[in-house]
Amino acid sequence: MASTGRRNVQAGPQGENRFAHGLTEIFAPAHFVIALPFVVGALTGGWYGLAWGALAASLCGGIPLAVIMAGVRSGRFGDKHISDRAQRPWLIGVIVALVVAALALLVVLGAPDVMIACVAVMLATLAVTGPITFWWKISFHTAVATGSVVMLARLLPPAPVYAAGAVLVGAITWSRVTLKDHTPAQAAAGTLAGGTATWLVLATLLS
């Protein structure tokens, strides 16, 4: 009986860590960056909007994710979340270049203002979190998730979006802290950075 009790005690943290790991994987920043333009496009322009979303998602999310996975396979990155802060600067530079290219292309091609704003939000979030991560491991998970919530709250009834978003961001924060990838302060800073950057961009571009 005593040994069974010990096994149950040990199984709890293991199960908790598996759940935290699952949340971290499912709600990775790249997944938000790929999904958000499609959702924004569908909500604002139907099939036409989805086409713009596909362009934005491929440049801002699809290609960076491919670069990350190639880097993991080659050993350049330790994991796809780039947990080692020293490995982030080069990747951030690549992603910034791709997001800038996507933004310029959307403007030149005459994309809807809301899609341009969606990509501008990504660039603004990088502009805030990128420099910080050079000296402090701010959470990109919570920054991107919170920015996505603020973006969707601009297009949908805000009260339910913020309510669901608070639960989601809280769960992501819990997972990152539980896995010891971030401190509570780093996760909270990501939330503040992503939410503030997104709100300011939308207030400027979609006023």
Side-chain angles (χ1 to χ4, degrees):
M1 292 294 291
S3 62
T4 301
R6 283 195 296 270
R7 284 197 298 271
N8 288 339
V9 169
Q10 291 171 357
Q14 291 173 357
E16 184 179 77
N17 285 343
R18 283 196 295 271
F19 184 57
H21 181 72
L23 287 174
T24 283
E25 293 298 321
I26 293 170
F27 297 111
H31 298 166
F32 277 103
V33 172
I34 291 171
L36 186 63
F38 282 107
V39 175
V40 170
L43 289 174
T44 58
W47 291 107
Y48 177 74
L50 280 173
W52 288 113
L55 175 60
S58 61
L59 285 173
C60 299
I63 295 176
L65 181 58
V67 170
I68 291 170
M69 298 311 295
V72 171
R73 286 193 296 270
S74 68
R76 184 184 188 99
F77 303 134
D79 60 80
K80 72 177 185 179
H81 302 300
I82 322 298
S83 299
D84 184 351
R85 185 164 50 86
Q87 297 174 348
R88 290 183 174 185
W90 177 85
L91 178 63
I92 290 173
V94 171
I95 295 175
V96 167
L98 288 167
V99 174
V100 168
L103 188 59
L105 190 59
L106 290 173
V107 170
V108 170
L109 294 178
D113 289 345
V114 68
M115 189 58 64
I116 292 173
C118 181
V119 175
V121 159
M122 299 177 189
L123 186 59
T125 301
L126 280 170
V128 175
T129 56
I132 294 175
T133 201
F134 293 160
W135 56 270
W136 193 55
K137 196 181 177 186
I138 191 171
S139 174
F140 283 94
H141 272 74
T142 58
V144 175
T146 304
S148 298
V149 170
V150 174
M151 181 79 212
L152 292 178
R154 180 77 185 218
L155 307 177
L156 296 168
V161 172
Y162 279 125
V167 173
L168 176 61
V169 174
I172 294 171
T173 297
W174 171 83
S175 74
R176 302 304 286 153
V177 173
T178 297
L179 295 174
K180 301 188 185 305
D181 286 322
H182 290 289
T183 65
Q186 290 166 345
T191 297
L192 179 62
T196 302
T198 301
W199 187 87
L200 288 173
V201 168
L202 296 181
T204 301
L205 298 183
L206 299 181
S207 57

Short mmCIF file of all heavy atoms in Angstrom, two decimals, residues 38 111 138 203:
data_model
loop_
_atom_site.label_atom_id
_atom_site.label_comp_id
_atom_site.label_asym_id
_atom_site.label_seq_id
_atom_site.Cartn_x
_atom_site.Cartn_y
_atom_site.Cartn_z
N PHE A 38 -5.67 33.78 -41.16
CA PHE A 38 -6.79 33.06 -41.75
C PHE A 38 -8.10 33.44 -41.06
O PHE A 38 -9.12 33.67 -41.72
CB PHE A 38 -6.57 31.54 -41.64
CG PHE A 38 -5.62 30.99 -42.65
CD1 PHE A 38 -4.34 30.59 -42.28
CD2 PHE A 38 -5.99 30.85 -43.98
CE1 PHE A 38 -3.45 30.07 -43.20
CE2 PHE A 38 -5.10 30.33 -44.92
CZ PHE A 38 -3.84 29.94 -44.53
N ALA A 111 -4.01 45.11 -50.10
CA ALA A 111 -4.74 44.25 -49.17
C ALA A 111 -5.67 45.09 -48.28
O ALA A 111 -5.44 46.29 -48.08
CB ALA A 111 -3.75 43.48 -48.29
N ILE A 138 11.82 37.08 -21.96
CA ILE A 138 10.40 37.38 -22.00
C ILE A 138 9.67 36.28 -22.77
O ILE A 138 10.24 35.66 -23.69
CB ILE A 138 10.16 38.77 -22.64
CG1 ILE A 138 8.70 39.20 -22.46
CG2 ILE A 138 10.57 38.77 -24.10
CD1 ILE A 138 8.46 40.65 -22.86
N ALA A 203 -5.39 50.74 -32.67
CA ALA A 203 -5.92 52.08 -32.42
C ALA A 203 -5.41 53.08 -33.47
O ALA A 203 -6.12 54.02 -33.83
CB ALA A 203 -5.55 52.54 -31.02
#
